[in-house]
Amino acid sequence: MFLGVDIGGTFTDLVMLDADGDLVTAKALSTPGELELGVFAAVAEAASQRGMTGEELLARVTAFGHGTTQATNAVIERDGARTGLITTRGFGDTLAIQRLMGFTAGVPVDRLGWYSRRRYPEPIVPRHLVREVRERVDHAGKVLLPLNEEEVRRAVRDLVAAGVQTFAVALLWSFRNPEHERLVAHIVREEAPGAFVSLSSEIAPVLGEYERTATAALNSYLAPKVVSYLDGIEQMLRKRGFKGAFSILNSAGGVMPVAEAARRPVTLVTSGPTGGVMGSIHLAKKLGYRNIITTDMGGTSFDVAIVVDDKPLMSTNHEAGGFHIATPMIEVRAIGAGGGSIARVVDGQLRIGPDSAGARPGPVCYGRGGTRPTVTDADVVLGIIDPDTFLGGKMKLDREAAARVIEEQIAEPLGLSVEEAAAGIRRIVDAQMADTLREVTIGRGFDPRDFVIFAYGGAGPVHCAGYGAELGVPRMVVPVTSMAHSAYGALAADLQFSAERALLMRGGGGNREASEGLDAGRVQSAFDELEAECREAMSRAGVDVGDVRLVRSADLRYRRQTNDLIIPLEAGAIGATSLADLAARFEQTYEQTYGKGAAFREAGIELTNVRVEAFGKARRPEIALRTPTTPPAPGRRSIFEPVVGRRMECTVHNWRDLPMDFTVEGPAVIEHPETSVFVAAGQVARLDAHSNITIEQRQESRDARR
């Protein structure tokens, strides 16, 4: 057996494959504060589907991949460790200044003008827990002033007396020469045995004093909570009979051993959303799609990523909790739009989100004390979600309560019927998600018509008919694992390790070729060292070095700019030709990102960092092909079609009973115990050989939209 688990804001999802490729999915309500309880509830549900106990199932599991929100939650809730920061004398305010980005970090574009509501983020290291020490290394790594070791000892003792649990060390230019940081770590371990220490030269050895400092500080801030959770859940799994490999999904698109995740918890900040992206890439390759938009609509958020030519767009600088992390990760855009997003009338206008009812109390229809209408309540009132078959009938929903709260809080203030109000909630949230999709495609120079949408999460299949048609993509795919797709990504992802190094070089300028001035020998030497480091890390994880795939990339920008673009490099010896090709692809990517004609080659370019990612191929079974069957007669029910705006007869199908190549025209609902797929009027859905559902607009509907 192979298991993948992902903990979301509302549900904990599980995907299981056996050696024959037979698939089992399961859901359980997430349990805030005791997340492992939701995990074991999902394991028990999957086991019951196979006629065994949870312990019997775990005893047969070979590999367990886990996507976790523990790091994300610690940042959002600000309940990480009490962390002390040791930095170079004169640079103690680096975290507070934030390169003047703190006022706008993480603020949605539509709220940037709300100046009175801007706030600096709550510090992860308060100023009174920052200690400056005398030392200085220059930009070339030369020691100008030796480290004052006695001053470091006094600083550590002061911080321990102040109740510090973990330490972060960020000295100036330490990535050029890390000896001072390593000496500080040695002193910390002598003065505070057992304390967790993060060195910026190890966690983020890149240019950017603030980002490097913030990354090291966040790493230490998150460590105790993340490490405690990972150790705890692994021990509980072992006690219940699990003997296989336990790995954690990171933010860069791979899994890593628990020991590595415990050393670098900052790399787990977007662990959950990354799983869905990797699961989509894995499936898209089988289906022959190279350009996809991944859309994960859960209970609290709508997460979007772009994949071009089989590769997800990556970012080297990610905002988390108002601070910036300088580690490579898949670029995921998120907005507060999910099944639990709360609807309200403000000044005569209907608004949805970004706040959510979450897992508790949840939507009103859950019957757990919710008092405000949500998107899920609207779907139930419209008839798109059947209150009697939700979660396979294990959780009955209260349609009357949902209708009542929508009537009182939405319909009456707007002068609408209950169903018109519910349709309005759905149309607005779909439009908000479509706007986000336009920003990440058209706003980045991509034509949505060149992409296929992958829709997953508990609410993605319910809503993709709306936001996909609004965006104008030709096709939407609902994976067979859509109800637990991020968990599938944790199961399917390869073992991953990355290493990077700052390598500042300048090329071009004026009439010179852009790559002129870049030193091929230094670039080659840096990549050789990084590749050796990656192979060694993979070997420690038990991966055959011959099975390791290495991917090179470099960060480039125009001179005097501050934002880099990640540009891949082909394998092989690096010379003048490969550097010229690198510079040309940088300019091409720059214009694609910022607009035709935006490139300014006369300024010259800067190569700032080089990076190597190593992937060890996961040996997992593929999902078995669909067995041909004859579908039973469909059910029927009346729904209020939200786009057409009136009641219509709708066919209802059971996903598990449908044969390969089954086709249905909308309006239709295809039900699964853990989700529902809505096919709108004017759309056609088809089931492929692996049980994925593809939705397309009928030709006449496409013509009408034009």
Side-chain angles (χ1 to χ4, degrees), residues 558 586-588 590-591 594-602:
Y558 284 113
F586 162 70
E587 294 192 333
Q588 179 184 7
Y590 191 93
E591 292 203 341
Y594 298 110
K596 191 71 175 173
F600 185 36
R601 62 192 59 182
E602 292 83 1

Side-chain angles (χ1 to χ4, degrees), residues 471-537:
L471 183 65
V473 295
R475 187 173 294 112
M476 294 155 277
V477 174
V478 181
V480 65
T481 55
S482 61
M483 62 296 299
H485 199 53
S486 291
Y488 175 64
L491 181 153
D494 295 335
L495 193 69
Q496 186 265 358
F497 179 84
S498 66
E500 59 188 320
R501 178 167 303 166
L503 191 71
L504 182 60
M505 293 184 187
R506 295 185 173 90
N511 295 323
R512 297 195 303 163
E513 291 294 324
S515 61
E516 187 179 338
L518 301 183
D519 188 331
R522 286 182 61 199
V523 175
Q524 181 72 66
S525 177
F527 275 123
D528 289 344
E529 292 175 8
L530 293 174
E531 288 176 358
E533 183 180 340
C534 286
R535 288 192 182 96
E536 183 182 346

